Amino acid sequence: MAFDLDMIKKVYDRYSTRVAAARKATGKHLTLTEKILYAHLSEGDAKQAFGRGVDYVDFAPDRVAMQDATAQMALLQFMQAGRPQVAVPSTVHCDHLIQAKIGATEDLSTAKDVNKEVYDFLASVSDKYGLGFWKPGAGIIHQVVLENYAFPGGMMIGTDSHTPNAGGLGMIAIGVGGADACDVMAGLPWELKFPKLIGVKLTGKLSGWTSAKDVILKVAGILTVKGGTGAIVEYFGEGARSLSATGKGTICNMGAEIGATTSIFGYDEKAADYLSGTKRADIAKLADAVAEHLTGDPEVYANPEQYFDQVIEINLTELEPHVNGPFTPDLAWPISKFATAVKENGWPVKLEVGLIGSCTNSSYEDITRSASIAKQAIDKHLTTKAEFTITPGSELVRYTVERDGYLGTFESMGGVVLANACGPCIGQWARHTDDPTRKNSIITSFNRNFAKRQDGNPNTHAFVASPEIVTAFAIAGDLTFNPLTDTLTNDKGEQVRFDEPVGIEMPIKGYAVEDAGYQAPAEDGSSVEVKVDPKSSRLQLLDPFSAWEGTDITGLKLLIKAKGKCTTDHISMAGPWLKFRGHLDNISNNMLIGAINYYNNTADSVKNELTGEYGPVPATQRDYKAHGIGSIVVGDENYGEGSSREHAAMEPRHLGVRAILVKSFARIHETNLKKQGMLGITFADSNDYDKIQEDDTIDITGLTTFAPGKQLTVVLHHKDGSTDSFQVNHTYNAQQIEWFKAGGALNIIRRQMAS
Ligand code: MIC
Ligand code: SF4
């Protein structure tokens, strides 16, 4: 598992020359984000791309990380690329496929059994191609990366939208689809549209009940789920320096919820402490030597308005704890206003479950702060009213907090410790409920709370808060309780109040672990065999997608006009479907089943234009495919928000959808569509969304002269014989147009590797 010190040295060696060149070329002081980006421009681009006016830029990331649910597809693609070994250090983490049901030990052993085929596949591919493999039980990708691989001033990509977690240690870490990971592992440059920069100045200092989580809950409220699109968020100021590295990780992690490309903090004492605490003092030493490059220039932070596209200031001293939700992570409520909001909106007051942990919030500090509340419940004779679960982020943290007695405290207050895995956060939760039709409330310290995400139940109102607030709420079992001001009645009938939580940033006795769960790859993997059973329901080798036919695309049926929020959870649901992530045809049976049909306000019920009948989306599309008829999906704003899962792009591609036409896209999803050779276009005038009728036959023209920046035309043939036509925009650059023409980026890589 050894981190690659030589690699880090090489990265740091580039800094002084690149930063000096960028200063000279732009004549400006630099933000931290620019320094890291410039230091990672791929050689070809390094000469011309300094400055922010540039569009798509090629980068050379230092690392790749993949979690099991996305790694399967990423590695199936990589296997087609024809390389003997990965070109950059890469790891696979088994965290998403473990279902939470009874408790850590039983659930982990069930998962090893149920997912054996997939784990064996991932382990053998890792062994063969030189990837580090983190076994089931080792922990959640982002926590394991923070503990082992993140380093200040580095750049990595990961096949998960919460990859930005590593920004807590000053790394530019970006969530991507598997096809992007495949490129980087194949040694190709990685392309990103040069981001806008949002600066967040933190003043003051946290105290009492307020924690790092509240910073991002507040930012989400300010920027909304779309506000960070195309931007990197850089945090700075005395308040930033006062936050622990893991607290910073929480903020960067949840930056995914505002659509940000990533978020980042500069290298500081807290980062150095965390590196030393996790046995990487030698990295801290290297970082100290280039420290001036691992933070923004002082002039930038003194006059941020001159250097960032947008600046937000938050005073940590005045910041209140927040609770966000339900159904969207940007509905932000300061705790003092939350009880009224619950009552006014008629949200279920009774809290049924509190869940802490996940990749967002399971640091030693989080656990100790929550345990300080749990301990008070015991000492003050309070009986916990709601169910309460704890998902540790890694075996390192789990082992350490168990050693230090904190897991025992949670168990004494009625908590259940789940496996070190995603579990309930991604719907891998066999929740016990007496009546799923009842409106009910849960609260988590996770990051997402879209409808049905945690337990598949549309009646569940999920809220997000810090782990200590979640713990207090779970004890109270009541969403109108304010732990800062209200009292609870204890078992003796007395009124008691919580004291403020107290935590410890890092274990006084140091982190400890018996078996962290890492497996190194073979030195020479050429003789390792990777087996995929052709009859498997869980794994399927990929067939290349077919190339563009060279003409305009005409005669398309409208598969669905999706109304309102359509996240990747609506397009390709997780939970029970995670088991098919390595089998494109099987997982395609969940395509868009969560999206709401504009014409009947119902999920998974669309009109089949061939029969006139309403039926499930996947079956309808399979019927069009069987008849050789293409279709189009129409959507609203921020289509594809949320996850990095490229299945949301591959499923429509596989089933014969030809284009996705929406008001706007979320970044990762838009790229995923392009990578798979799909046409992703946006309304030039979003009112044209209203022109689309259920029975339309649709043409897309202009494709024979498809060029960057040039609009395409959509023609609607309505059932009554009339037509409408309007312009649509796209963001394809020359390279991406080639992907479209070839039928997907992988077809091009395969061609290049073969020649
Ligand atoms: C998520 O939090 O939604 C996931 C599950 O981690 C996804 C990845 C996936 O769908 O496999 C993500 O955030 O990218
Ligand atoms: Fe896992 Fe949830 Fe984190 Fe996604 S957000 S990586 S599902 S813990």
Side-chain angles (χ1 to χ4, degrees):
M1 116 175 76
F3 43 82
D4 193 339
L5 218 50
D6 283 337
M7 181 266 276
I8 297 174
K9 267 193 211 130
K10 277 196 202 125
V11 174
Y12 286 171
D13 282 347
R14 280 204 303 269
Y15 262 88
S16 40
T17 43
R18 289 283 181 90
V19 169
R23 279 216 178 93
K24 200 160 152 232
T26 61
K28 286 187 97 177
H29 298 291
L30 300 175
T31 60
L32 168 62
T33 306
E34 289 164 290
K35 292 181 192 179
I36 305 183
L37 291 177
Y38 294 148
H40 287 86
L41 292 174
S42 75
E43 285 302 331
D45 260 2
K47 286 168 220 75
Q48 15 89 9
F50 298 125
R52 308 238 304 262
V54 286
D55 194 16
Y56 279 93
V57 185
D58 280 351
F59 292 101
D62 307 316
R63 300 199 66 89
V64 175
M66 291 168 287
Q67 43 89 340
D68 50 2
T70 48
Q72 298 170 61
M73 209 40 98
L75 291 169
L76 284 164
Q77 294 176 78
F78 179 74
M79 284 164 66
Q80 294 199 329
R83 272 193 71 108
Q85 286 262 309
V86 287
V88 300
S90 306
T91 47
V92 170
H93 303 259
C94 296
D95 52 2
H96 279 62
L97 300 178
I98 303 168
Q99 193 191 38
K101 191 165 184 185
I102 304 166
T105 319
E106 298 86 339
D107 295 348
L108 182 59
S109 93
T110 309
K112 284 184 182 159
D113 199 27
V114 174
N115 302 314
K116 183 167 186 319
E117 184 186 4
V118 171
Y119 292 149
D120 286 351
F121 168 76
L122 292 173
S124 63
V125 178
S126 301
D127 207 22
K128 182 169 182 68
Y129 296 105
L131 297 92
F133 180 70
W134 289 82
K135 294 185 259 188
I140 309 175
I141 176 168
H142 311 302
Q143 183 64 30
V144 174
V145 164
L146 194 70
E147 286 163 3
N148 295 280
Y149 301 122
F151 67 94
M155 176 188 261
M156 78 168 213
I157 58 162
T159 59
D160 190 281
S161 66
H162 294 107
T163 303
N165 194 65
L169 258 188
M171 187 169 209
I172 286 221
I174 301 183
V176 297
D180 279 33
C182 176
D183 287 359
V184 175
M185 291 189 293
L188 301 176
W190 174 68
E191 188 188 60
L192 178 76
K193 202 172 158 124
F194 204 92
K196 284 184 295 184
L197 304 183
I198 299 178
V200 180
K201 180 175 182 180
L202 300 179
T203 60
K205 199 168 184 319
L206 294 175
S207 64
W209 283 87
T210 310
S211 72
K213 179 77 157 200
D214 301 305
V215 175
I216 186 62
L217 293 176
K218 168 92 183 164
V219 169
I222 298 171
L223 285 174
T224 79
V225 291
K226 270 189 73 178
T229 309
I232 293 186
V233 184
E234 180 170 327
Y235 290 84
F236 59 93
E238 40 149 357
R241 286 190 300 276
S242 73
L243 299 171
S244 64
T246 50
K248 293 177 172 110
T250 297
I251 294 173
C252 295
N253 176 306
M254 234 194 118
E257 271 50 70
I258 53 167
T261 301
T262 192
S263 304
I264 188 154
F265 282 84
Y267 178 65
D268 59 15
E269 250 174 62
K270 298 282 190 183
D273 289 350
Y274 185 73
L275 283 169
S276 306
T278 48
K279 306 204 168 43
R280 292 176 289 171
D282 30 8
I283 299 186
K285 227 166 114 201
L286 290 181
D288 286 337
V290 291
E292 56 165 317
H293 300 317
L294 303 180
T295 181
D297 288 346
E299 294 82 355
V300 169
Y301 294 155
N303 294 296
E305 291 78 12
Q306 290 174 22
Y307 297 91
F308 292 96
D309 299 297
Q310 182 180 357
V311 178
I312 294 171
E313 188 168 331
I314 296 175
N315 182 343
L316 300 184
T317 311
E318 291 165 6
L319 182 66
E320 266 192 73
H322 275 63
V323 181
N324 288 20
F327 306 123
T328 184
D330 56 356
L331 197 55
W333 305 99
I335 191 92
S336 58
K337 305 226 162 60
F338 184 57
T340 315
V342 171
K343 287 182 219 147
E344 283 180 0
N345 290 289
W347 297 326
V349 170
K350 179 174 172 223
L351 176 71
E352 302 199 7
V353 196
L355 306 98
I356 66 165
S358 90
C359 65
T360 333
N361 272 105
S362 55
S363 63
Y364 192 84
E365 186 179 25
D366 288 329
I367 299 287
T368 52
R369 281 175 66 84
S370 306
S372 82
I373 301 299
K375 172 106 184 14
Q376 292 181 49
I378 303 164
D379 295 347
K380 298 184 185 192
H381 309 285
L382 286 161
T383 302
T384 306
K385 297 282 187 337
E387 279 181 57
F388 185 62
T389 68
I390 304 100
T391 15
S394 72
E395 178 58 12
L396 184 76
V397 165
R398 193 210 61 79
Y399 189 94
T400 309
V401 295
E402 179 175 53
R403 177 200 67 191
D404 295 349
Y406 298 110
L407 292 189
T409 307
F410 289 131
E411 277 160 352
S412 317
M413 62 133 338
V416 177
V417 180
L418 300 171
N420 310 323
C422 301
C425 180
I426 187 53
Q428 288 279 52
W429 185 26
R431 183 176 170 196
H432 334 273
T433 173
D434 46 351
D435 174 12
T437 62
R438 177 169 36 84
K439 276 193 177 186
N440 72 94
S441 293
I442 66 171
I443 188 165
T444 80
S445 72
F446 311 159
N447 38 36
R448 295 201 170 127
N449 55 349
F450 306 142
K452 302 212 274 190
R453 179 170 165 99
Q454 270 86 33
D455 61 359
N457 182 352
N459 297 305
T460 298
H461 293 54
F463 297 88
V464 182
S466 71
E468 47 273 44
I469 291 284
V470 171
T471 308
F473 269 114
I475 294 163
D478 180 338
L479 277 188
T480 58
F481 171 68
N482 179 349
L484 281 69
T485 52
D486 297 351
T487 56
L488 291 173
T489 312
N490 73 2
D491 302 339
K492 298 178 171 169
E494 301 156 350
Q495 292 300 303
V496 295
R497 199 190 295 273
F498 285 119
D499 303 323
E500 289 174 349
V502 281
I504 306 169
E505 274 179 30
M506 280 199 293
I508 293 154
K509 287 192 272 176
Y511 287 102
V513 72
E514 230 162 52
D515 174 9
Y518 178 72
Q519 195 170 296
E523 283 288 332
D524 172 10
S526 55
S527 61
V528 176
E529 229 194 301
V530 178
K531 285 200 206 109
V532 173
D533 179 351
K535 290 196 288 301
S536 167
S537 67
R538 299 200 54 180
L539 293 167
Q540 181 187 42
L541 294 174
L542 292 171
D543 287 329
F545 292 129
S546 50
W548 171 56
E549 60 268 55
T551 57
D552 284 337
I553 306 180
T554 55
L556 304 178
K557 298 295 173 204
L558 176 68
L559 177 61
I560 184 170
K561 175 160 154 181
K563 182 177 167 187
K565 218 177 185 45
C566 191
T567 72
T568 47
D569 282 338
H570 298 78
I571 307 171
S572 175
M573 198 192 173
W577 291 91
L578 282 176
K579 57 175 170 297
F580 298 125
R581 285 288 184 88
H583 197 294
L584 183 54
D585 194 54
N586 283 347
I587 196 156
S588 295
N589 290 330
N590 78 357
M591 185 182 74
L592 283 157
I593 59 176
I596 302 298
N597 181 358
Y598 179 89
Y599 301 103
N600 60 6
N601 281 321
T602 311
D604 204 19
S605 166
V606 291
K607 186 162 173 190
N608 181 333
E609 290 297 324
L610 303 177
T611 62
E613 307 276 311
Y614 282 81
V617 187
T620 307
Q621 180 56 34
R622 283 192 193 271
D623 196 32
Y624 291 148
K625 187 179 183 185
H627 286 87
I629 296 170
S631 69
I632 180 168
V633 169
V634 172
D636 219 308
E637 298 283 0
N638 210 20
Y639 182 89
E641 166 184 353
S643 160
S644 68
R645 60 190 78 145
E646 63 196 320
H647 306 74
M650 294 178 91
E651 293 174 24
R653 180 81 174 95
H654 171 66
L655 291 185
V657 177
R658 299 301 306 271
I660 312 285
L661 168 61
V662 300
K663 293 185 184 169
S664 62
F665 281 112
R667 174 189 64 90
I668 308 179
H669 185 63
E670 184 175 25
T671 309
N672 286 345
L673 288 169
K674 292 177 178 175
K675 280 260 145 144
Q676 302 300 339
M678 183 72 120
L679 198 55
I681 45 186
T682 53
F683 294 99
D685 174 358
S686 59
N687 294 318
D688 290 336
Y689 173 90
D690 300 327
K691 293 192 178 139
I692 293 175
Q693 298 173 12
E694 192 172 28
D695 302 317
D696 285 350
T697 300
I698 301 167
D699 302 337
I700 302 168
T701 65
L703 288 170
T704 49
T705 52
F706 195 7
K710 186 164 174 262
Q711 291 181 319
L712 299 170
T713 306
V714 165
V715 184
L716 308 175
H717 303 274
H718 302 306
K719 206 174 180 186
D720 64 3
S722 66
T723 59
D724 260 314
S725 86
F726 50 80
Q727 300 298 105
V728 292
N729 296 332
H730 70 82
T731 60
Y732 289 70
N733 62 21
Q735 167 74 39
Q736 295 165 341
I737 290 174
E738 290 311 309
W739 299 345
F740 169 75
K741 291 184 174 165
L746 193 55
N747 289 346
I748 296 182
I749 301 183
R750 207 189 287 112
R751 229 186 277 151
Q752 285 167 352
M753 293 290 169
S755 63

